[in-house]
Structures are given as C-alpha cells and as structure tokens.
C-alpha cells in the first residue's frame, strides 16, 4: 500500500497534535498544583485520601501484572507463524495496557491533589473552585485522547497495511486494563459508599462526610479509583476500539482499490487528530460567568467543541477524501458528524433521566414519601424506560449510516460508516472525560469541607458536587453508547476476520467484498441462536458477580464501622478519631480479590463459545452481548443516577428534607443504586468491547481448527476454569465468616 506525501505528512501532523495535547495536559497540571492547599487539617485529610488511592492502584497493578504477562505470551502465539507480527502484537498488548493504566493513574494522582485546592478556592470563589476541578479533569481527558492516538499512529507508521494485526493487541491491552480498573475501582468505591451511608446516615444519624465515620476516607478514595481512573481507562479503550475497527473494514478494499483503502485508513486518524485540538478548545471555553450554574459553562464547552469538530470534519473530508474518486466523501462526512450529534443527544437524554428538575427524578423523590418500596419501584421503572430511549437513539444513528450509504451498499461501507459514527462520537473525548473527572474532585471537596469543618466553603462545594453528579451520569451514558457503536463496528470486523480465515487469507487482510457478502448469520440455525442466547445471558451473570462483590465487601465495612462506634471510647462524641486505615485496607483487599472472577468470565467465555459452537455460534454470541449489554447497562446507570439525585433533591429541602421518612427511603434507594451506577453498569460497556475484541482475535483460529478435536478440548478446560471462578466468587471470604461468627457470639452474649 502506497501513501502520498500528503498522507505521510498528515500522519506526522497527527502525532504532533497528540504531543501538543500532552503538553497542554502538563500545563493544566502545573496550573492546578500551583493553587493553595488550605489549612493543615485540610491537607491532612487530603493526604489520607492520596495515600489510600496510591496504595490501592499500586496493589492493583501488581496483582494483574501476572495475568498481563500470560496474555501477552498467548497473543504472541496467536500471531505465529509470522514472527514479526507475533512479537509486535505481544508488545503492543503490553503497550496498550500501559497506556490505559497510565491514563487512569496520571488522572487519579492529580484529582486526589486537586480536591483540597478546590476546597480552599471554594472558600472565596465558586468560579475559581470550578476552574480547578475542571482543569484537573482536563488533564485526565487530554491524556486519554493523546496517549492512545500517539501509540496507534506509531504502530501504523511502522506496520502500514499489517498494522491492524498489531493494533488488535494494542486495543486488547487497553480493554483489559480498563476492565480491571473499572471493576476493581467500582467494587472499592461502592462498598465504601454503601457502608458509610447505611451506618452513618441511617443508623447513627450523622451527616454524609462526618469525620467520625471510619468509612468516609475510603469513600473519598473510591471516588477517585472508581469514577476517575476507571472512566478514563474505559473511554481510552473505546477510543482505540473504534479506530481499529474502521481500519480493519477499510482494508477490505486493499485488493480491489488500494487508493480507497489508504484514504479510508488515514481518514480516522485525521479525525482523531481533530479531536485533540477541539478538546483543548472545549476545555479552555469552560469558564463560569457571573452567577450562572456550573453546568452551563460545561455545556458550552461540549457544544463548541462539537461545532468546531463538525466544521473541521467537513474541510478534511472534502479537501482530502474528496480528491480521490469513489471515496464517497459526503457519506464519510455525514457518518462522522452523526456521531457528534449522537453524543449530544445521549448527553441530553441522560440529563433528562438523572437530573433533578426533570420528571423522572422528581417522581422518584415524590414516591419516597410512601417508603422504600415505592422509591425503588419508581426508580427501577424510570431506568427501564431510559434504556429503551437510549437504544432507539443508537438504532437511529446506525440506521442513518445505512441511509446515507444507500440500502444497496455493500456491508463494508455501511459498517465503516457505523465505525465513523463512533469516531465522531468520541471526538470530544477530552471534554467528556474532563466532565467526568470533575465530579470526583467536587465530591472529594465536599468531603474535605465536612471533615475539616470549612463552613465558608460548604455552599460553593455543594453546588459543584450537585453538578458533578449530573456530569458523571451523562458521561456514563456517552460511554455506554460509544461502547455499543464500537462493538457493532468490531462485529463487522469480526466477519471480516472470518471471511479471511475461510478464504485462506488470514493475516494478509486481502479480503474481498464478495467474500464478506457471502457471509450470513441466519437465526434459524440452532447454533447461532444458542450463541445469541448465551451472549444475552452474560451481562446478567457479570452484573450478578459485581453487585454481589459490592455487597460482600460492604458487609465487612458496615460491621467494622459499627464495631468502631461501639468499641472506641469518645468516637461518637467527637473526642476520638476513627481507624480509617482499617476500612481502606478492607476495601483494597476485597476489591482486588473480587475482580479476578469477572475478568476470567469476560476473557474466556467468547473463546469457549467459539470452541464449542464455531464461528457462527460465536457471531451470535457477540450479537447477544451487544444488545442485552446495552439495555442492562443503561438501566443500571440511569436508575442509580436518578436515585442519587432524588436523594439530593430531598436533602435540599423537598418532601420533608433531611431526617424525614422520605429522606430515609431515598437513602436506601441511593444505596441500592450505588453499585448499579458505579460498578455493574459502567463495567458492562467495557465487557461488551472486551468480548468483541477477544472474538476478533480468536476468529481465525476457530475457523482454522474447526471440525477437529483440539477446540472442544480447549473449550472444556476453559469452561472448568470459569466454573471454578464463578463458584469461588460466590463463596464468603474468611473475613466475612469471622464477622458472622463475631456477630453470632455477640447476640448470644446479649
């Protein structure tokens, strides 16, 4: 494949854009760290949060390093007999994992230092406090969009038309790290949150971030390792998945129209480069004006970033892709633009279902007046409805790709259009991640304000925190929608890999359009339908494992906080300090122990299905996981977010305010929603992508060894491993059994 001098220069320009983004992130970081840290007590509390977050991520990386090395070796073997590709794929896997981990780590290390600076600024200025929180989020956002782009562009410059074989390893590394960081961080943060709320608010009747509560520090740590590090790694992974999918589909034209294939490969990289620049502009636009709500400048940043991106898309598409015959540049422009529009619609839709002032949240708050049951029923009903609304929106975006390319277009063109929709949707990722990471900074600032007794900052941080809940919910909605679009694109790439395997061209990517058109997955074939059913069941099993993990960990924390209130003299009176480090240790150890089984499920089940049901059954499986995973993820995220904001609406004085029966019911609803919206729901969008990438990687092997005895044997071995993991995940740990025994002895003694 030959590239023009312009294309060569464009690739280097994309790398320069990525480097500019890195330097901008470093500039933002320096600006944030230059701000005042406040009083000694504020710095002490912030130091405990920093220590807990660093300890957790350090132990997490050490725990999963062993698994990463094993998978790197397996990816190396999957690339044989081409030694060059095999070595590069294994190294790219580690590089992708490093980039995903580094993105989360860099962002988190700043947010745990920005929180106290945000608190100090809030003592005198809402605008300055918001500026610090959003700039801290901007650092995470810029690392998300730059590290992945830089790595992918370098890989492409080295391997050219064989780059997708290597980039599959790169994307899988990012996916796996994102899964571990999201699941582990989600278990940590929600177990601590549930424990702090149930014992503090309900039993002890003390405020949310009261310094007497031993779980408060762990709760604030969890905001960073779950919402910040987890989301950054999540969107980093979506960023890579859509890029790889579009390149694989473009290479279907390699044999018949190499010039078109070259343009369709370079174009997504240019779109990514545009996204870096427009993200910088969007982050810079976010400034509070006068007395307006902080959500308004954030919305301005999102909208202007989107508008400038669309203008840049038009110029690049017309004056680059439009110069080559039959590139269908108008269709490419509209497909990419549709992704930007989809992001805005999903953002607005999520706000509608999770923000106070709209009917869904208001109805949940009203229903809390009649107890916990009606609160839960109303919240669950709103979540169910929101999942359908989100799915219809995504379906419209996919259907739009069919319309603009024409119903008679070949499947490659249509699926390439879908991948461009995902590219467009994630163009403003820098701003989206900044919005999300802003939330933990504001949340921590409120915690520090409460624990340090900084009364003069309380009003401003309460405003920032309320907006943070909205931005976190909205970014989860965008992350889920982008995951579905990425998964549909990867599904098309999966068919391309199967076609290559069936035609004996696996590894060369010289797949003809005709070969792809001959493939089909008719549902009247039993094995395909069985695969579809198994794929549809996986989101429920995975969610069961993660929610149960939160429950088990929260059980330990609740009993530990109760023990401290009971056994530490003067703690309830405020004359003694809680043993916060013990709760942090419980969260850390339990979260790391609990994430192994879900990780095995996500990686191994697609391989097992492929071994037993063949490539057609695996195709049905991947379709099932996409459809059901999206519906369940939106249900969990939006119902949880709505329960949270309904509680806050009551705490602001509605329906009796704090301490009322409605408030107690809303706290229980929020507690149920916590693992929904911050553990199980967000994890599902990563699971969708991980399973599709695993399907891509094993598709050639499934085709190659079909009909022989090797695959069924491997399937049995892997099924035993997964079965043991699932059984172990349901067993109570030694710590839980000890707590059970202690409680029983205490009851007998009383």
């Amino acid at each position: 494949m030959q590239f023009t001098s312009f294309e060569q220069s464009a690739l280097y320009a994309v790398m320069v854009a990525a480097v500019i983004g890195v330097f901008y992130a470093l500039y933002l970081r320096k600006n944030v760290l230059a701000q005042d840290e406040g009083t000694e007590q504020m710095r002490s509390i912030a130091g405990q949060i920093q220590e807990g977050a660093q300890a957790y991520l350090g132990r997490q990386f050490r725990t999963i390093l062993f698994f990463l090395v094993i998978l790197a070796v397996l990816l190396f073997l999957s690339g044989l007999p081409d030694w060059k590709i095999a070595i590069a794929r294994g190294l790219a896997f580690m590089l992708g994992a490093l980039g995903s981990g580094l993105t989360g780590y860099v962002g988190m290390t700043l947010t745990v230092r920005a929180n106290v600076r945000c608190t100090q600024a809030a003592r005198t200025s809402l605008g300055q406090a918001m500026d610090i929180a959003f700039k801290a989020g901007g650092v995470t956002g810029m690392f998300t969009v730059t590290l992945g782009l830089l790595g992918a562009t370098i890989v492409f410059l080295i391997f050219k038309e064989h780059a997708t074989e290597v980039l599959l390893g790169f994307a899988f590394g990012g996916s796996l790290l994102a899964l571990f960081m999201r699941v582990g961080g989600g278990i940590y943060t929600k177990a601590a949150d549930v424990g702090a709320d149930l014992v503090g608010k309900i039993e002890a009747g003390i405020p949310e971030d009261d310094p007497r509560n031993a779980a408060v520090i762990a709760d604030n740590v969890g905001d960073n390792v779950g919402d910040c590090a987890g989301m950054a790694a999540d969107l980093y992974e979506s960023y890579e998945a859509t890029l790889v999918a579009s390149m694989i589909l473009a290479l279907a034209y390699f044999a018949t129209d190499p010039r078109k294939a070259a343009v369709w490969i370079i174009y997504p990289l240019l779109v990514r480069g545009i996204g870096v620049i427009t993200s910088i502009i969007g982050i810079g636009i976010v400034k509070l004006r006068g007395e307006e709500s902080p959500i308004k400048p954030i919305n301005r940043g999102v909208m202007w970033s989107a508008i400038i991106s669309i203008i840049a898309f038009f110029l690049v598409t017309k004056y680059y892709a439009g110069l080559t015959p039959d590139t269908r540049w108008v269709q490419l422009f509209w497909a990419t633009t549709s992704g930007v529009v989809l992001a805005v619609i999903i953002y607005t839709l999520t706000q509608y279902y999770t923000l106070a002032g709209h009917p869904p949240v208001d109805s949940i708050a009203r229903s809390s007046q009649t107890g916990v049951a009606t609160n839960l029923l109303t919240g669950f009903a709103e979540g169910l409805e929101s999942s359908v609304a989100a799915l219809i929106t995504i379906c419209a975006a996919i259907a739009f790709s069919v319309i603009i390319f024409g119903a008679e277009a070949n499947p490659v063109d249509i699926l390439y259009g879908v991948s461009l929709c995902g590219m467009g949707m994630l163009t403003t990722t820098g701003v989206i991640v900044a919005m999300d990471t802003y939330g933990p900074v504001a949340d921590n600032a409120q915690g520090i304000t409460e624990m340090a007794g900084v009364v003069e900052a309380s009003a401003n941080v309460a405003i920032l925190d309320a907006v943070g809940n909205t931005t976190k919910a909205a970014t989860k909605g965008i992350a889920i929608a982008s995951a579905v679009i990425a998964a549909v694109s990867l599904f098309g790439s999966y068919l391309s890999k199967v076609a290559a395997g069936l035609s004996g061209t696996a590894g060369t990517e010289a797949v003809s359009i005709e070969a792809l058109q001959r493939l089909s997955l008719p549902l009247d074939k039993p094995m395909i339908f069985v695969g579809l059913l198994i794929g549809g069941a996986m989101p429920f099993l995975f969610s069961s494992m993660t929610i149960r993990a939160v429950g088990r960990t929260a059980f330990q924390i609740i009993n530990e906080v109760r023990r401290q209130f009971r056994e530490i003299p003067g703690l309830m009176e405020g004359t003694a300090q809680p043993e916060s480090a013990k709760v942090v240790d419980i969260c850390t150890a339990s979260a790391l122990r609990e994430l192994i089984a879900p990780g095995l499920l996500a990686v191994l089940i697609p391989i097992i299905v492929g071994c037993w049901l063949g490539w057609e059954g695996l195709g049905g499986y991947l379709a099932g996981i996409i459809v059901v995973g999206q519906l369940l993820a939106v249900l969990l995220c939006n119902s949880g977010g709505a329960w949270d904001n309904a509680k806050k609406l009551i705490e602001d004085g509605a329906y009796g305010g704090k301490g009322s029966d409605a408030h107690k019911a809303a706290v229980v609803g929020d507690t149920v929603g916590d693992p929904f919206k911050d553990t199980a729901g967000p994890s599902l969008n990563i699971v969708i992508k991980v399973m599709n990438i695993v399907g891509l990687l094993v598709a050639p092997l499934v085709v190659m060894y079909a009909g022989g005895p090797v695959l069924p044997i491997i399937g049995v071995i892997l099924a035993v491993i997964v079965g043991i993991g699932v059984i172990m995940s349901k067993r109570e740990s030694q710590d839980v059994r000890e707590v059970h025994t202690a409680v029983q002895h205490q009851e007998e003694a009383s």
Side-chain angles (χ1 to χ4, degrees):
M1 183 178 292
Q2 298 298 316
F3 294 98
T4 65
S5 57
F6 172 80
E7 288 168 340
Q8 292 281 1
S9 301
L11 287 172
Y12 288 109
V14 169
M15 291 181 63
V16 170
V19 172
I20 290 172
V22 171
F23 279 109
Y24 181 65
L26 295 176
Y27 161 76
L28 292 177
R29 184 177 185 276
K30 181 179 179 181
N31 187 286
V32 170
L33 294 179
Q35 306 304 313
D36 187 7
E37 295 182 73
T39 66
E40 179 64 34
Q41 186 178 7
M42 290 164 62
R43 291 196 296 271
S44 174
I45 294 168
Q48 294 179 62
I49 297 171
Q50 293 168 27
E51 184 179 349
Q54 294 277 11
Y56 171 75
L57 277 191
R59 286 175 64 175
Q60 184 183 54
F61 289 147
R62 289 193 298 273
T63 300
I64 63 180
L65 181 61
F66 173 73
F67 297 97
L68 293 178
V69 172
I70 291 176
L71 287 170
V73 172
L74 293 176
L75 281 172
F76 163 77
L77 295 174
S78 73
L80 294 174
D82 190 327
W83 284 87
K84 183 180 178 181
I85 296 296
I87 294 172
R89 183 181 281 184
L91 292 176
F93 170 78
M94 296 301 291
L95 182 63
L98 175 65
S100 185
L102 187 62
T103 297
Y105 185 80
V106 168
M108 189 215 69
T109 54
L110 181 62
T111 59
V112 295
R113 299 173 70 183
N115 50 18
V116 67
R117 292 166 168 82
C118 178
T119 306
Q120 173 64 14
R123 300 174 75 177
T124 56
S125 170
L126 175 63
Q128 187 182 358
M130 182 192 172
D131 192 51
I132 292 171
F134 201 82
K135 282 180 177 176
V139 173
T140 312
M142 293 314 301
F143 269 97
T144 301
V145 299
T146 55
L147 291 184
L149 180 60
L150 199 59
T153 307
I154 291 172
V155 169
F156 183 76
L157 281 169
I158 295 172
F159 294 96
K160 297 295 193 307
E161 64 267 21
H162 298 293
T164 56
E165 291 296 315
V166 179
L167 284 173
L168 275 177
F170 188 75
F172 185 43
S175 298
L176 199 66
L177 237 293
L179 179 66
F180 282 131
M181 294 183 77
R182 174 58 91 182
V183 173
I187 293 170
Y188 186 115
T189 182
K190 290 305 106 181
D193 199 356
V194 169
D197 281 355
L198 286 183
V199 181
K201 288 184 177 181
I202 299 297
E203 296 182 8
I206 58 179
E208 182 170 352
D209 292 303
D210 195 291
R212 294 170 290 180
N213 192 330
V216 166
I217 293 294
D219 185 12
N220 282 276
V221 170
D223 291 333
N224 296 282
V225 301
D227 286 326
C228 173
M231 176 60 81
D234 180 357
L235 284 174
Y236 171 95
E237 179 240 0
S238 286
Y239 210 67
E240 296 313 307
T242 50
L243 181 61
V244 172
S246 63
M247 287 183 168
I248 291 175
L249 290 164
L251 280 169
Y253 282 105
F254 177 66
T256 58
D257 192 347
R259 183 89 287 271
K260 181 177 181 178
V263 172
W264 279 26
I265 287 171
I266 297 296
Y267 181 70
L269 289 169
L270 293 176
V271 170
R272 284 285 179 256
I274 290 170
V276 173
I277 303 303
T278 55
S279 289
I280 292 174
I281 295 171
I283 292 170
I285 286 173
V286 179
K287 299 283 185 183
L288 200 64
R289 299 175 184 172
E291 301 298 320
E292 68 180 356
S293 167
I295 196 65
K296 290 187 176 180
I298 292 175
N299 287 340
R300 274 199 303 271
V302 173
M303 294 304 298
W304 275 110
S305 180
I307 292 169
I308 296 170
S309 294
I310 292 172
I311 295 171
F313 293 161
F314 178 80
L315 296 174
V316 168
T317 312
K318 182 175 181 179
Y319 295 108
Y320 166 58
L323 298 180
T324 301
D326 196 34
T327 53
R328 310 187 75 172
W329 74 268
V330 174
Q331 286 87 347
L332 300 188
F333 166 72
W334 283 113
T336 312
T337 300
S338 71
V340 180
V341 175
L342 175 61
V344 173
I345 293 174
I346 290 292
Y347 177 67
T348 305
L349 196 62
T350 309
Q351 280 192 344
Y352 172 79
Y353 278 102
T354 60
L355 183 62
H358 295 292
V361 171
D362 293 350
S363 67
I364 296 171
R366 276 197 307 275
S367 69
S368 301
Q369 297 176 95
T370 50
V372 174
T374 47
N375 171 279
L376 294 177
L377 289 171
T378 307
F380 197 72
E382 296 291 354
L384 288 168
E385 179 184 298
S386 71
S387 65
V388 177
L391 182 65
I392 291 172
T393 305
I394 294 169
C395 288
I398 296 173
F400 184 70
S401 180
V402 178
I403 293 170
I404 61 173
F405 279 96
E408 301 303 319
N410 67 66
V412 171
D413 287 5
I414 293 172
L415 288 167
Y416 184 76
V418 173
S419 73
L420 289 184
C421 177
M423 299 285 292
M425 187 174 192
L426 292 170
T427 299
T428 58
T429 292
V431 185
I432 293 169
V433 175
M435 280 168 39
D436 182 78
T437 307
Y438 154 87
V441 176
D443 200 341
N444 274 199
Q446 183 164 33
I448 293 171
T449 299
E450 183 91 32
M451 287 184 280
V454 188
V455 179
E456 61 273 25
S458 58
N460 284 338
V461 295
I463 294 171
L464 295 177
D465 184 40
V467 171
N469 286 324
T470 301
T471 59
K472 286 189 292 185
T475 50
K476 287 185 180 74
I478 293 173
I480 294 167
S482 70
V484 174
I485 296 293
V488 172
S489 306
L490 289 169
F491 186 73
S493 303
Y494 169 78
L495 295 177
S496 175
K497 288 288 184 183
V498 170
L502 292 173
S503 59
T505 59
T508 69
E509 301 297 345
V511 184
S512 68
I513 303 298
E514 292 74 18
L516 275 170
Q517 288 178 319
R518 285 195 297 268
L519 289 181
S520 63
L521 293 170
L523 292 180
D524 58 354
K525 287 190 176 182
M527 287 305 172
I528 296 176
F529 199 78
V530 168
L532 185 73
L533 293 175
I534 295 173
M538 284 305 106
F540 290 95
L541 179 58
F542 187 89
S543 299
S544 168
M545 295 170 74
T546 52
I547 292 173
R548 185 182 288 114
V550 171
R552 275 195 298 266
T553 306
F555 178 88
Q556 298 176 67
I557 293 168
I558 289 169
N559 280 283
E560 173 59 27
V561 176
R562 285 173 175 170
R563 182 197 66 79
Q564 292 192 26
F565 275 129
R566 187 173 60 248
E567 297 180 6
I568 298 178
L571 178 58
M572 197 60 192
E573 292 75 21
T575 58
Q577 295 295 316
E579 297 172 357
S580 300
K582 189 159 187 179
V583 179
V584 171
D585 286 340
I586 291 172
C587 283
T588 300
S590 185
L592 293 177
R593 181 174 59 248
E594 298 281 5
L595 67 80
I596 301 300
L600 288 173
L601 188 78
V603 174
L604 297 183
I605 291 294
I607 304 175
I608 296 170
V609 172
C611 289
W612 287 351
L613 303 182
W615 72 265
E616 291 181 311
L618 180 56
Y621 172 87
L622 297 178
I625 189 77
I626 293 170
V627 175
V628 179
Q630 185 276 336
L631 288 168
L632 188 57
V634 174
L635 161 64
L636 294 171
C637 287
N638 284 356
S639 58
W643 274 318
D644 189 0
N645 278 329
K647 176 201 69 175
K648 284 182 166 53
L649 179 63
I650 294 173
E651 288 177 343
D652 289 339
Y655 307 115
K658 288 185 178 180
S660 65
D661 289 340
H663 181 232
K664 292 177 181 178
V667 169
V668 175
D670 176 42
T671 304
V672 172
D674 276 337
F676 279 28
K677 68 182 175 66
D678 290 324
T679 308
S683 298
L684 282 176
N685 63 63
I686 304 178
V687 171
I688 293 170
K689 292 172 288 186
V690 167
M691 290 186 171
N692 273 272
I693 291 176
V694 172
L696 267 174
L697 288 166
V698 303
L701 300 175
V702 169
V703 172
M704 185 184 304
Y705 295 104
V710 176
L711 292 181
I713 293 173
I714 293 175
V716 170
I717 294 171
L718 296 181
V720 170
I721 294 173
V722 171
I724 293 172
V726 172
I727 292 171
M728 293 297 292
S729 73
K730 298 179 69 172
R731 293 181 60 186
E732 293 179 341
S733 67
Q734 181 62 33
D735 294 335
V736 173
R737 289 194 292 271
E738 289 176 358
V739 171
H740 273 306
T741 303
V743 170
Q744 288 175 352
H745 288 166
Q746 182 183 354
E747 290 175 349
E748 291 171 359
S750 61

